[in-house]
């Protein structure tokens, strides 16, 4: 299924409704700005962005599966490919690349060359520790949790802090088998 | 190409948010203070003149000895003021337009409070490069 994914990413992107990129960027910027003003602590803002991303992710996964028609992924490697090619393309309009697989195939890096959330943004000196795109890590974590994968996501490289690209390290902690939601003995 | 020039961006509340000496001649200490004084004194004239015309580029607004003050007013009443001794009006107009575009990009940064000091070193480098190019 992997060779099919890049093609279907573009097709899905063409068929979903789109919004003006600048409106999207400026809205996200306003959210971050307001969080900084309200919470004042950079660490708190990072945590809050992650939590917001998690809430978005648990809902986003349904829309993603409905609109993109990808089949069930056989292993985590395929999952990562699908997120990078189809998922990112569908919701952000950019594709990511998957690199740096570890020996067991449970941990990989998603690299984003350009990121629409951070157009025009420059971190001032007061917010140096801010992970501006932390919402993305929450989204991926939330979405994967809804398909029974517990993951841990960290930022390795961040362009706003001087690196040359955005790199997310995605680590699969465990696959939780689906539970029967109703108790048998009632 | 030897010219002294002092470039200041003043916000709508009359607070300077950015300044740069962009001359290619070595500046003397007293001259720097004098430049700022002249630019601030010209602010009143700019205020009156800005309402009389719908153009953004107000050519030369004031003179002091052989130094001329040229001003470009943006839509948000941010004044880009240049104190110079050259007569290259087209160059100055292009310089103002390019700096205006850089300023718009700064404004689009959600973490920038409009009216506060511009501390971005990236902006500073670009403005100096533009000054060398046009002035």
């Amino acid at each position: 299924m992997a060779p099919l994914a890049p093609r279907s990413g573009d097709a899905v992107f063409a068929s979903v409704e789109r919004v003006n990129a600048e409106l999207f960027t400026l809205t996200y910027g306003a959210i971050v700005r307001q969080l900084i003003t309200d919470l004042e602590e950079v660490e708190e803002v990072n945590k809050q962005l992650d939590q917001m991303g998690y809430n978005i992710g648990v809902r986003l996964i349904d829309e993603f599966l409905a609109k993109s028609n990808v089949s069930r992924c056989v292993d985590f490697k395929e999952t990562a490919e699908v997120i990078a090619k189809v998922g990112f393309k569908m919701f952000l309009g950019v594709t990511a690349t998957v690199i740096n697989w570890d020996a067991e195939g449970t941990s990989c890096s998603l690299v984003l060359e350009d990121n629409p959330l951070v157009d025009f943004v420059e971190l001032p000196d007061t917010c140096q520790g801010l992970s501006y795109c932390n919402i993305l890590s929450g989204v991926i974590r939330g979405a994967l949790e809804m398909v029974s994968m517990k993951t841990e996501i960290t930022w390795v490289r961040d362009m706003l802090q001087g690196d040359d690209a955005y790199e997310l390290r995605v680590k699969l902690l465990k696959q939780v088998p689906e539970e029967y939601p109703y108790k048998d003995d009632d | 190409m030897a010219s002294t020039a002092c470039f200041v961006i003043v916000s709508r509340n009359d607070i300077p948010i950015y300044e740069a000496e962009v001359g290619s001649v070595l500046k003397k200490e007293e001259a720097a203070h004098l430049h700022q004084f002249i630019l601030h004194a010209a602010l009143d004239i700019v205020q009156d003149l800005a309402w009389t015309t719908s153009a953004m580029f107000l050519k030369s607004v004031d003179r002091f000895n052989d130094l001329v003050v040229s001003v470009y007013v943006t839509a948000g009443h941010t004044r880009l003021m240049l104190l110079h001794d050259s007569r290259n009006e087209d160059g100055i107009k292009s310089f103002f337009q390019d700096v205006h575009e850089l300023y718009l990009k700064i404004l689009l940064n959600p973490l920038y409070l409009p009216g506060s000091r511009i501390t971005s070193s990236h902006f500073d480098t670009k403005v100096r490069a533009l000054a060398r190019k046009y002035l």
Side-chain angles (χ1 to χ4, degrees), chain A residues 76 106 137 140-145 148-153 169-174:
Chain A
F76 188 60
T106 54
S137 62
I140 298 178
R141 186 168 64 90
L144 288 177
E145 194 160 314
S148 333
M149 284 181 254
K150 270 189 124 56
T151 51
E152 185 187 317
I153 317 225
R169 188 94 200 141
V170 182
K171 188 165 135 81
L172 176 68
L173 295 173
K174 61 178 180 162

Coordinates of all heavy atoms in Angstrom, one line a residue, chain A residues 76 106 137 140-145 148-153 169-174:
Chain A
F76 N 3.9 -0.4 12.0 CA 4.1 1.0 12.4 C 4.8 1.8 11.3 O 4.6 3.0 11.1 CB 4.9 1.0 13.7 CG 5.0 2.4 14.3 CD1 3.9 3.1 14.7 CD2 6.2 3.0 14.5 CE1 4.0 4.4 15.2 CE2 6.3 4.2 15.0 CZ 5.2 4.9 15.4
T106 N 10.3 0.8 15.9 CA 9.2 1.4 16.7 C 9.4 2.9 16.9 O 8.6 3.6 17.5 CB 9.2 0.8 18.2 OG1 10.6 1.0 18.7 CG2 8.8 -0.6 18.1
S137 N 2.5 17.9 17.8 CA 2.8 16.6 18.5 C 1.6 16.1 19.2 O 1.4 14.9 19.3 CB 4.0 16.9 19.5 OG 3.6 17.8 20.4
I140 N -0.8 14.3 16.6 CA -0.4 12.9 16.2 C -0.6 12.0 17.4 O -1.1 10.8 17.2 CB 1.1 13.0 15.8 CG1 1.2 13.9 14.6 CG2 1.6 11.6 15.4 CD1 2.6 14.0 14.0
R141 N -0.2 12.4 18.6 CA -0.4 11.5 19.7 C -1.9 11.1 19.9 O -2.2 10.0 20.1 CB 0.1 12.2 21.0 CG 0.2 11.4 22.2 CD 1.0 12.1 23.3 NE 0.4 13.3 23.7 CZ -0.5 13.5 24.7 NH1 -0.9 12.4 25.4 NH2 -0.9 14.6 25.0
G142 N -2.8 12.1 19.8 CA -4.2 11.9 20.0 C -4.8 11.0 19.0 O -5.5 10.0 19.2
A143 N -4.4 11.2 17.7 CA -4.9 10.4 16.6 C -4.4 9.0 16.7 O -5.3 8.1 16.6 CB -4.4 11.0 15.3
L144 N -3.2 8.8 17.1 CA -2.7 7.4 17.1 C -3.3 6.7 18.3 O -3.5 5.5 18.3 CB -1.2 7.4 17.2 CG -0.5 7.7 15.9 CD1 1.0 7.8 16.1 CD2 -0.9 6.7 14.8
E145 N -3.6 7.4 19.4 CA -4.2 6.8 20.6 C -5.5 6.2 20.2 O -6.0 5.2 20.7 CB -4.3 7.7 21.7 CG -4.5 7.0 23.0 CD -4.2 7.9 24.2 OE1 -3.1 8.5 24.2 OE2 -5.0 7.9 25.1
S148 N -5.4 2.8 18.8 CA -4.8 1.8 19.7 C -3.3 1.8 19.7 O -2.7 0.8 19.9 CB -5.2 0.4 19.3 OG -6.5 0.3 18.7
M149 N -2.7 2.9 19.4 CA -1.2 3.0 19.6 C -0.9 4.0 20.5 O -1.2 5.2 20.4 CB -0.6 3.3 18.2 CG -0.6 2.1 17.3 SD 0.2 2.6 15.8 CE -1.2 2.7 14.7
K150 N -0.1 3.7 21.6 CA 0.3 4.7 22.5 C 1.7 5.1 22.1 O 2.6 4.3 22.0 CB 0.4 4.1 24.0 CG -0.9 4.2 24.7 CD -0.7 3.8 26.2 CE -1.1 4.9 27.1 NZ -2.5 5.4 27.0
T151 N 1.8 6.4 21.9 CA 3.1 6.9 21.4 C 3.6 8.1 22.3 O 2.9 8.6 23.1 CB 2.9 7.5 20.0 OG1 1.8 8.4 20.0 CG2 2.6 6.4 19.0
E152 N 4.9 8.4 22.0 CA 5.5 9.5 22.7 C 6.2 10.3 21.6 O 6.9 9.8 20.8 CB 6.6 9.0 23.7 CG 7.2 10.1 24.5 CD 8.3 9.5 25.3 OE1 8.1 8.4 25.9 OE2 9.4 10.2 25.4
I153 N 5.9 11.6 21.6 CA 6.4 12.5 20.5 C 7.2 13.6 21.1 O 6.7 14.4 22.0 CB 5.2 13.0 19.7 CG1 4.1 12.0 19.5 CG2 5.6 13.6 18.4 CD1 3.6 11.9 18.2
R169 N 10.2 13.3 16.7 CA 10.6 12.0 16.9 C 9.4 11.3 17.4 O 8.8 11.7 18.5 CB 11.7 11.9 18.0 CG 12.3 10.6 18.2 CD 13.5 10.3 17.3 NE 13.8 8.9 17.2 CZ 14.2 8.4 16.1 NH1 14.4 9.1 15.0 NH2 14.4 7.1 16.0
V170 N 8.9 10.2 16.7 CA 7.7 9.5 17.1 C 8.1 8.1 17.6 O 8.7 7.4 16.9 CB 6.8 9.3 15.9 CG1 5.5 8.6 16.3 CG2 6.4 10.7 15.3
K171 N 7.7 7.8 18.8 CA 8.2 6.5 19.4 C 6.9 5.8 19.8 O 6.1 6.3 20.6 CB 9.0 6.8 20.6 CG 9.7 5.6 21.2 CD 10.7 6.1 22.2 CE 10.7 5.4 23.5 NZ 11.4 4.1 23.5
L172 N 6.8 4.6 19.3 CA 5.7 3.7 19.7 C 5.9 3.1 21.0 O 6.9 2.3 21.1 CB 5.5 2.7 18.6 CG 4.4 1.7 18.8 CD1 3.0 2.3 18.8 CD2 4.4 0.6 17.8
L173 N 5.1 3.3 22.0 CA 5.3 2.7 23.3 C 4.7 1.3 23.4 O 5.3 0.4 23.7 CB 4.7 3.6 24.4 CG 5.4 5.0 24.5 CD1 4.7 5.9 25.5 CD2 6.9 4.8 25.0
K174 N 3.4 1.3 23.1 CA 2.8 0.0 23.0 C 1.5 0.0 22.1 O 0.9 1.1 22.0 CB 2.5 -0.6 24.3 CG 1.5 0.2 25.1 CD 1.3 -0.6 26.5 CE 0.3 0.2 27.3 NZ -0.3 -0.6 28.3

